[in-house]
Amino acid sequence: MSTIEMIRDSAAAIAPRGADLSRVRALRFTRPGFDPAVWREMGEMGWIGLRVAEDAGGIGLGMAEYVALAEEMGRELVPEPLVQGILAAALLEGCGDAAGLAALLEGKALPLTAWQETPDTLVAPGSAQAPRLFLPMAAGASGFLLPVRKDGGMALHAAEGTPEIVETQDGGHYGTLRPEQGARLGTLPAGLLDRALDEAALATAAMLLGVMEGAFAMTLDYLRTRQQFGKPIGSFQALQHRAVDLKIQIALTRASVEAAAATLDAGATEDARRAAVSRAKHRAAEAALLVTREAVQMHGAIGYTDEYDVGLYLRKAMVLAHQFGSPSLHRRRYIACAEAEV
């Protein structure tokens, strides 16, 4: 069995395929919006340290395994902020904060990286005093990591402050932090933060792939069971054509996400890495919004009710589509990186 298959199988412990979404519903619009016990379980299973080297306490797997796990999390709408935890782990490992990294990898802490200073960007300027925006699940953070540009490099500081919370469509929330700079944890190696943000963007694309797969599977079940004029509506040619179009979008997204993961694992140049990530994130965001909207419509009137689960996939897609860069940002970045590679 390959490591990717093992990762997918391990995901069933927390997010079994086809399970009901009662846990997800129970956590919507609550604080912290996820289950700390499940977060600790993710740590115990090694997921938070998936990209951390073995000698630093992680399991040292590649992006292929990471996107496989992220896809499974997206498919079951898991609310725990795994991508944000893996991002923080990369920075703590890079700056040499062994104690902070150990607590995070065990699931005993959740330091969120306060990197974003402007909307719709994948660049971290590292300004010392600027408010940090769009921190997912900030109410559940045990603390914050603050990248600050100093002496031509990037230092990592602990940060304090109480974030201002705004709820999101999917029942989660974002926080805005006006940080109080704390102890310096170390210096980040050159380019580490950029690479970690690219990896987070690609993992988010994989989550979007999982979201559209979950919505599509639910829609196929509905088409097979809902009857009209004495036959399943899935036998109607018009709906079959629409379903095939959505299946094609999912297949193209999978190809793009997996190709980007292979590119990163092969040690691509900076421009090639960025182009691959942006191609995958743009396609995943656009396709997920299309597939989940179509899934709601193909369910008819019941699909528009909040009580019916298919709408949860659309809400999740609306939030994830803009995390770590919107489709338009990634389209522009892909064009710029592709031109630079020529």
Side-chain angles (χ1 to χ4, degrees):
M1 180 181 290
S2 70
T3 54
I4 293 177
E5 292 172 325
M6 292 172 63
I7 283 288
R8 291 189 185 278
D9 286 347
S10 73
I14 289 174
R17 286 196 174 192
D20 69 70
L21 298 176
S22 56
R23 185 180 85 90
V24 174
R25 285 192 171 277
L27 290 168
R28 294 170 72 207
F29 304 113
T30 65
R31 300 289 184 272
F34 62 91
D35 188 343
V38 172
W39 181 248
R40 288 192 296 273
E41 187 176 353
M42 287 181 168
E44 292 167 3
M45 295 178 73
W47 292 358
I48 305 172
L50 185 145
R51 294 285 290 147
V52 173
E54 292 184 63
D55 59 8
I59 55 177
L61 295 180
M63 284 303 300
E65 290 81 8
Y66 186 7
V67 298
L69 178 59
E71 179 190 339
E72 296 297 324
M73 297 298 100
R75 186 183 181 100
E76 303 305 322
L77 305 182
V78 172
E80 283 71 27
L82 181 62
V83 173
Q84 285 72 27
I86 291 176
L87 170 60
L91 302 190
L92 290 172
E93 179 189 18
C95 77
D97 183 3
L101 178 61
L104 171 58
L105 297 189
E106 292 172 7
K108 295 179 179 178
L110 175 57
L112 294 178
T113 307
W115 63 274
Q116 189 169 353
E117 299 177 29
T118 60
D120 199 15
T121 183
L122 205 59
V123 175
S127 306
Q129 303 299 326
R132 303 303 169 93
L133 313 177
F134 304 114
L135 285 158
M137 298 306 199
S142 60
F144 300 94
L145 304 178
L146 189 70
V148 178
R149 196 168 296 282
K150 291 183 177 179
D151 303 323
M154 190 76 79
L156 190 67
H157 287 256
E160 300 176 356
T162 301
E164 301 169 8
I165 301 298
V166 175
E167 292 180 340
T168 53
Q169 282 281 347
D170 62 344
H173 59 269
Y174 282 137
T176 297
L177 180 70
R178 289 170 172 76
E180 299 175 12
Q181 186 172 309
R184 180 171 177 150
L185 303 176
T187 300
L188 296 176
L192 173 61
L193 181 55
D194 291 338
R195 289 194 301 274
L197 291 175
D198 275 341
E199 291 186 6
L202 182 55
T204 304
M207 288 190 71
L208 285 161
L209 171 60
V211 167
M212 67 179 91
E213 286 180 324
F216 186 66
M218 183 175 290
T219 303
L220 288 184
D221 286 343
Y222 184 78
L223 295 180
R224 293 187 187 108
T225 57
R226 176 74 166 91
Q227 299 228 349
Q228 200 168 38
F229 308 116
K231 60 178 67 176
I233 62 174
S235 65
F236 300 156
Q237 195 172 63
L239 292 178
Q240 290 177 355
H241 289 171
R242 290 174 71 179
V244 168
D245 287 342
L246 300 185
K247 183 67 174 177
I248 291 171
Q249 290 297 322
I250 294 170
L252 291 172
T253 301
R254 174 176 298 283
S256 186
V257 168
E258 292 181 352
T263 296
L264 269 61
D265 284 338
T269 65
E270 181 177 322
D271 283 330
R273 182 192 77 221
R274 290 178 173 178
V277 168
S278 286
R279 182 181 64 240
K281 180 58 164 62
H282 173 268
R283 171 167 286 284
E286 293 280 312
L289 291 171
L290 171 64
V291 170
T292 53
R293 284 197 305 265
E294 284 284 303
V296 169
Q297 291 175 11
M298 291 169 75
H299 277 79
I302 194 172
Y304 289 88
T305 64
D306 188 63
E307 293 78 12
Y308 199 79
D309 284 346
V310 74
L312 298 179
Y313 292 95
L314 173 57
R315 291 175 179 271
K316 179 63 77 173
M318 291 170 68
V319 173
L320 291 178
H322 296 277
Q323 279 188 9
F324 299 103
S326 69
S328 60
L329 178 139
H330 281 287
R331 182 169 57 249
R332 294 193 303 270
R333 197 176 80 144
Y334 172 75
I335 293 171
C337 292
E339 290 176 346
E341 280 284 288
V342 174

